[in-house]
Amino acid sequence: MKINQDGKIIELTAVRWNSTSKTLTLIDQRMLPERLELLELHDAPSVYHSIRKMVVRGAPAIGLTGVYGLLMELIACEKKGLEKSVIAKTLESAFQLIMSSRPTAIDLKNLMQDWLNYVKSNSYRLDEAEKYAIQLFEQNKQECYQIGVHGSKLFFENAHVLTHCNAGALATADYGTALAPMRIAKSKHIPFHVWVDETRPRLQGARLTAWELANEDIPHKIIVDSSAAFLMSEGLIDFVIVGADRITGDGWVANKIGTMSLAISASHFGIPFYVAAPWSTFAPHVSKEESQIEYRDQSEVLHCPGAGKIANPSSEALNPAFDWTPEDLVTGFITSKGILQYEELFEKSSV
Ligand code: MRU
């Protein structure tokens, strides 16, 4: 990801493994766009807290952070010279701890489970474990790039695309999911414009997506979430691309709260609605019923960053962080293997 820092362009990723110091560096996304701050993590508990407090957020990014959290735990076990049975137990409790940080993004479970299975079958060998963590990171990066290549075919001259939340490089190993097609379309010199939903209450759109697009010189404007239907009715939106936190086997897409309203509005006005996701977001053996939507603290709704308390002091709030969109409202799933219909996800997935 390119970052415009004081007029200088630097390359940075939201999640970065340091092979020499065996530590993990995260961009502290709570500070953006005001400040670019990095945080160095050394163990699984700090990974748990960073995901929980949303230092790092976005389904694939938290999954990859979880994997590196387990890797750091394995490194600590090796340093102590622990036996394999103790290592197995330690990794299992680190897995459970990190899993309890946030419940909705299935990438957290899928990526950590994948890494654990590999490491177990390789007798907890450290070199193999580190190589595989890096491989999962690179795989997500490549997948996101391919999502960009396929998704960019949707773009035409002067297209107006709407996106919700942040499904950008900050939410993945790089490139993003919903934002990858925009990056590739830009590199093909196709002129287009992005409507960025501000994404109340944590403002991932206004803060993070707008920051990423500004860094790439992609023309965009921030809108309040509730204005999307109006813009659609005025013919100002050609198509919508969002990310996903899990795609279940019974046909539901969990994504940032507000996604379902967008899909219903888009369907009403005949506007194509796309979901971009890597395979780690796909959960063919999990149903909506078995899944949990995260409810976050009401203070996020009652307060506004920078403005303090904005609501009536005696009123309470409800703060679901995600919602469910039925697959029949999705025009297509932008994947690394092309733009697919829901049923085709099962054929193409190796999960
Ligand atoms: O609460 P967040 O910021 O973690 O929510 C993120 C989203 O809903 C994204 O759209 C989703 O994780 C896809 S990220 C490629």
Side-chain angles (χ1 to χ4, degrees), residues 54 57-60 102 165 167 171-172 177 204 244-245 255-256 322:
M54 294 177 74
R57 27 69 49 207
R102 295 191 76 191
C165 194
T172 60
T177 54
Q204 290 95 328
D245 280 78
N255 194 48
K256 181 52 55 196
F322 299 93

Side-chain angles (χ1 to χ4, degrees), residues 135-336:
Q135 189 179 318
L136 288 173
F137 181 91
E138 289 302 323
Q139 202 169 298
N140 181 254
K141 187 171 165 181
Q142 287 315 313
E143 263 192 63
C144 288
Y145 184 81
Q146 286 307 320
I147 286 171
V149 169
H150 294 295
S152 69
K153 294 174 193 152
L154 298 170
F155 284 68
F156 49 87
E157 216 161 286
N158 301 322
H160 289 269
V161 53
L162 174 95
T163 191
H164 190 63
C165 194
N166 173 266
L170 286 166
T172 60
D174 209 347
Y175 303 110
T177 54
L179 261 54
M182 299 175 198
R183 290 195 152 90
I184 305 295
K186 164 86 181 173
S187 73
K188 290 180 178 168
H189 307 290
I190 302 170
F192 63 94
H193 172 265
V194 187
W195 298 110
V196 179
D197 265 0
E198 64 169 350
T199 320
R200 271 281 287 160
R202 292 196 61 109
L203 307 179
Q204 290 95 328
R207 296 189 304 109
L208 308 176
T209 297
W211 181 75
E212 284 197 39
L213 294 175
N215 279 329
E216 305 267 342
D217 280 329
I218 295 177
H220 63 280
K221 272 200 179 79
I222 299 162
I223 56 170
V224 297
D225 302 336
S226 45
S227 62
F230 171 68
L231 296 192
M232 288 181 188
S233 74
E234 293 283 293
L236 294 173
I237 298 175
D238 293 304
F239 57 96
V240 178
I241 311 182
V242 296
D245 280 78
R246 68 171 63 192
I247 302 166
T248 66
D250 58 344
W252 294 90
V253 178
N255 194 48
K256 181 52 55 196
I257 192 78
T259 303
M260 175 172 45
S261 314
L262 280 179
I264 293 169
S265 302
S267 162
H268 180 80
F269 291 108
I271 292 167
F273 181 90
Y274 295 95
V275 172
W279 295 103
S280 57
T281 309
F282 189 45
H285 310 298
V286 180
S287 67
K288 171 174 175 270
E289 208 53 40
E290 292 161 333
S291 305
Q292 192 189 335
I293 290 288
E294 176 183 14
Y295 281 75
R296 296 186 62 84
D297 198 277
Q298 60 170 331
S299 63
E300 290 182 350
V301 176
L302 299 174
H303 293 77
C304 209
K309 189 150 177 128
I310 51 164
N312 175 50
S314 60
S315 301
E316 294 186 346
L318 186 71
N319 188 13
F322 299 93
D323 61 23
W324 290 108
T325 299
E327 61 83 13
D328 60 345
L329 293 184
V330 180
T331 311
F333 290 84
I334 310 174
T335 74
S336 58

Side-chain angles (χ1 to χ4, degrees), residues 24-184:
L24 185 67
T25 306
L26 299 177
I27 294 179
D28 189 341
Q29 300 191 29
R30 298 168 305 176
M31 301 303 166
L32 291 174
E34 284 83 24
R35 289 194 305 281
L36 178 64
E37 277 187 22
L38 302 179
L39 213 69
E40 196 166 274
L41 310 185
H42 301 87
D43 53 22
S46 59
V47 160
Y48 161 80
H49 287 296
S50 300
I51 297 174
R52 196 172 164 75
K53 293 181 186 157
M54 294 177 74
V55 169
V56 59
R57 27 69 49 207
I62 66 175
L64 294 165
T65 303
V67 166
Y68 285 122
L70 295 179
L71 174 61
M72 289 188 287
E73 215 54 28
L74 177 61
I75 292 168
C77 289
E78 288 285 335
K79 271 192 191 146
K80 290 182 204 153
L82 300 179
E83 287 192 4
K84 290 213 170 62
S85 60
V86 185
I87 295 179
K89 274 196 193 138
T90 310
L91 288 184
E92 181 53 33
S93 46
F95 176 86
Q96 293 304 339
L97 172 72
I98 297 171
M99 273 291 293
S100 68
S101 57
R102 295 191 76 191
T104 306
I106 195 77
D107 307 57
L108 184 59
K109 182 173 184 209
N110 281 347
L111 288 166
M112 286 202 297
Q113 193 65 67
D114 186 347
W115 182 86
L116 258 187
N117 293 345
Y118 181 87
V119 168
K120 268 183 206 161
S121 62
N122 281 277
S123 299
Y124 301 99
R125 274 187 47 198
L126 208 49
D127 52 345
E128 285 296 328
E130 182 173 5
K131 244 193 337 209
Y132 197 60
I134 294 168
Q135 189 179 318
L136 288 173
F137 181 91
E138 289 302 323
Q139 202 169 298
N140 181 254
K141 187 171 165 181
Q142 287 315 313
E143 263 192 63
C144 288
Y145 184 81
Q146 286 307 320
I147 286 171
V149 169
H150 294 295
S152 69
K153 294 174 193 152
L154 298 170
F155 284 68
F156 49 87
E157 216 161 286
N158 301 322
H160 289 269
V161 53
L162 174 95
T163 191
H164 190 63
C165 194
N166 173 266
L170 286 166
T172 60
D174 209 347
Y175 303 110
T177 54
L179 261 54
M182 299 175 198
R183 290 195 152 90
I184 305 295

